[in-house]
Amino acid sequence: MSGSKTRVAEKAGSWYTKESNKLKSELNNWLENAHHSLNQSQQTRNSKLKAIISPHAGYAYCGATAAFAYSQIGADEIDRVFILGPSHRVYLEDCALTCHQFYSTPVGDLRIDTSTVQELNSSGNFSKMTTKVDRDEHSIEMQLPFLAHVLNGHLDRVAIVPILVGALNESRERFYGQLLAPYLLHPRTIFIISSDFCHWGDRFSYTPYPDRDEGIPIHQSIERLDREGMRCVESLKMENFTGYIRKTKNTVCGRHPIAVLMAAVEELKAKMLNGTKVELQFLHYSQSGAVKKQHESSVSYAAGKLTFSN
C-alpha cells in the first residue's frame, strides 16, 4: 500500500505547466496580480492567517483566483499545513491519510509531517489512501505547486498533512471538525481547504436557472447562487452552509472540507477563543466561462481566507 516514498506530480504537463522555470513565472504573475488587486480591507494585517479556501481546477482556469488565497500566506509564520481535499474518484465515508513521505511538484518537493499523520492514524478515525487513490486524486495535488512556490526557501522546514475528505454526513463533518480543531488552534499551523464552487451544465446534471423570468443571464444567476453560499461560509455557522447545500443542491465539490473547517471553528469559538475575532472573507470569484445558453457549462472558483485577531 505504501509504494514509493514520493508521490509524483501526476497532473504536471496537463493541468499545470511541468517545466519549472515557466511554472514559477506563471505563479509569480498570478500572485503579483493578486497582490496589486487586493484592497486594504482584504490584506491580512494585524491578524493571523489560519486557513485559505482555494480552487483545484487546471491553472489556466483557476490560477488567477487561487493566487488571491496563496498571496495571504507568509512562509516565515508557519511550520505545518493541513490540506483538506474532497474525494472525486473513490467513495469514502471517512477521511483518509497519505502513505507517502513526500509530494513532488515541479517547483520543489513538499515533506509530509509523518508524525502528525501517525498521530491522526492512531486515533482510529482515518483510513489510508492507496498509492493509486493518492495519485489519481487532483483536489490535493492542485494546491501543491502554489504552496511549494510560496514556501520557497522553507521547504525543508514546513511540512504538510494531506487529508482526503469523503462524503461525510453532517454529524461526521462535525466530528472531524472537532477532532482537527486543536491543530487549527496551533499558532504555526494553517489549513488549506480545496474546493471549486458551482458546476453548472448538463454534463454536471445541474442546471438551475431561477432568474430566467428576470432576464438575467445564466452566468449572473450562477454567481448569485454561489455568492449566497459564500455568505453562508463567511457567517462561520456550519448550519447556514449545510442548510444552503440542502436547499440549493449547489455542486460545491469541496462542501465537506468546508463544513469540516466551519465545525472546527465553531468548536474553537465555543471553548477556546474568548476575545478573539474570527473572520472568514472571500477575496476573489471567477467562472471558467460566462454561460449564456442552456447547453453551455461552467465551473466557478472562489478564494477566501480565515483569520484570527485579538
Side-chain angles (χ1 to χ4, degrees), residues 172-291:
R172 295 297 281 171
E173 289 168 342
R174 194 167 296 282
F175 171 81
Y176 280 105
Q178 292 170 346
L179 189 154
L180 295 173
Y183 297 98
L184 181 63
L185 185 62
H186 192 280
R188 295 185 62 83
T189 292
I190 65 169
F191 278 50
I192 294 172
I193 306 300
S194 180
S195 184
D196 296 336
F197 272 70
C198 184
H199 299 61
W200 197 96
D202 288 337
R203 67 191 182 106
F204 302 117
S205 301
Y206 189 72
T207 56
Y209 188 12
D211 304 308
R212 183 194 310 268
D213 293 341
E214 297 180 39
I216 292 174
I218 297 173
H219 64 91
Q220 289 183 16
S221 181
I222 295 169
E223 181 169 353
R224 278 187 175 184
L225 174 69
D226 280 328
R227 290 198 180 276
E228 179 186 355
M230 291 158 67
R231 287 191 296 272
C232 290
V233 177
E234 288 178 329
S235 77
L236 290 174
K237 294 180 179 178
M238 180 182 158
E239 63 180 16
N240 289 351
F241 180 63
T242 56
Y244 160 83
I245 293 293
R246 284 195 303 272
K247 179 185 74 173
T248 66
K249 305 294 191 294
N250 193 0
T251 47
V252 180
C253 54
R255 58 192 176 276
H256 300 301
I258 290 173
V260 169
L261 176 68
M262 297 180 75
V265 171
E266 286 189 354
E267 175 76 2
L268 294 179
K269 288 177 72 174
K271 297 181 178 179
M272 305 174 191
L273 290 178
N274 291 336
T276 299
K277 180 181 179 183
V278 182
E279 182 179 17
L280 198 150
Q281 179 184 19
F282 280 97
L283 307 170
H284 195 260
Y285 173 84
S286 64
Q287 297 172 351
S288 61
V291 174

Side-chain angles (χ1 to χ4, degrees), residues 50-70:
K50 294 308 300 174
I52 61 171
I53 297 173
S54 178
H56 53 236
Y59 283 1
Y61 298 101
C62 77
T65 294
F68 279 78
Y70 282 92

Side-chain angles (χ1 to χ4, degrees), residues 12-32 59-60 105-108 145-146 149:
S14 54
W15 289 43
Y16 56 89
T17 299
K18 187 173 185 178
E19 199 278 311
S20 177
N21 287 334
K22 185 177 179 183
L23 178 58
K24 287 179 181 178
S25 177
E26 291 169 350
L27 295 170
N28 275 331
N29 286 338
W30 284 319
L31 288 164
E32 288 174 7
Y59 283 1
T105 87
V107 294
F146 260 109
H149 187 63

Side-chain angles (χ1 to χ4, degrees), residues 43-48 307-310:
Q43 300 288 349
T44 304
R45 301 179 186 277
N46 301 317
S47 60
K48 185 174 245 343
T307 58
F308 292 175
S309 59
N310 295 320

